[in-house]
Amino acid sequence: MSGKSYKKGYRFEREIFNLFSSAGFYVILSAGSHGVFDLVCVKDGVVFGIQCKYNNHLNKREEMAMKLAFKQYGIIPLYAFRKPREPLVLKDVINNRIIDVNDLPDLPKRYANVFIRKIVEKNGKEGDRK
């Protein structure tokens, strides 16, 4: 990645970091972007993983890795992108839906049931434990 592209990508990740932080999320930035997600955001016990792309080039392997993280860990995968000189788009990878950034403060409420259902599926019902 060229220095100019890297700087644009880094600035975009910081923009998304600040957007989620200002909406009340605890946000972790994955330095170097070598994992599935660039950001991990937590609010009200619901965990979101965000892949940030300044140029809207999410490849199939990255998308499949995000879906696998949901399947294995219950992390709700979101994709944030912006094409040059266009507005930010935030997309739910599982349901293939666009999320209005104005809805970020209430996003955990929308996804709580999905998250809890996935965690119970992975760990069993609390009454099943001995």
Side-chain angles (χ1 to χ4, degrees):
M1 180 184 289
S2 74
K4 191 175 183 179
S5 294
Y6 177 82
K7 287 179 185 176
K8 284 181 182 178
Y10 178 78
R11 281 195 304 266
F12 184 61
E13 286 175 3
R14 294 301 301 181
E15 176 186 344
I16 303 306
F17 180 101
N18 292 331
L19 182 69
F20 275 80
S21 290
S22 66
F25 286 81
Y26 175 75
V27 184
I28 301 166
L29 176 63
S30 174
S33 298
H34 296 293
V36 175
F37 300 112
D38 297 313
L39 304 171
V40 175
C41 305
V42 182
K43 184 174 180 184
D44 299 334
V46 181
V47 181
F48 296 88
I50 303 170
Q51 177 62 248
C52 303
K53 297 284 188 182
Y54 181 74
N55 57 13
N56 189 24
H57 290 297
L58 183 70
N59 65 45
K60 277 290 181 194
R61 191 166 52 111
E62 291 169 318
E63 184 178 342
M64 292 307 297
M66 293 171 73
K67 288 178 178 180
L68 183 60
F70 172 70
K71 183 178 179 182
Q72 288 182 324
Y73 307 109
I75 299 170
I76 308 293
L78 303 179
Y79 173 42
F81 65 92
R82 172 181 289 135
K83 293 180 182 178
R85 295 174 293 284
E86 290 189 18
L88 166 69
V89 176
L90 187 60
K91 185 176 178 181
D92 171 337
V93 174
I94 299 300
N95 298 309
N96 200 29
R97 280 191 234 147
I98 302 299
I99 297 168
D100 186 334
V101 294
N102 295 315
D103 294 338
L104 283 184
D106 294 324
L107 202 59
K109 290 177 189 166
R110 269 181 54 192
Y111 285 89
N113 287 335
V114 173
F115 183 74
I116 291 167
R117 193 168 41 249
K118 184 55 75 175
I119 297 302
V120 168
E121 178 184 306
K122 289 297 293 175
N123 298 304
K125 294 179 185 174
E126 195 161 321
D128 293 343
R129 297 180 193 204
K130 295 183 179 185

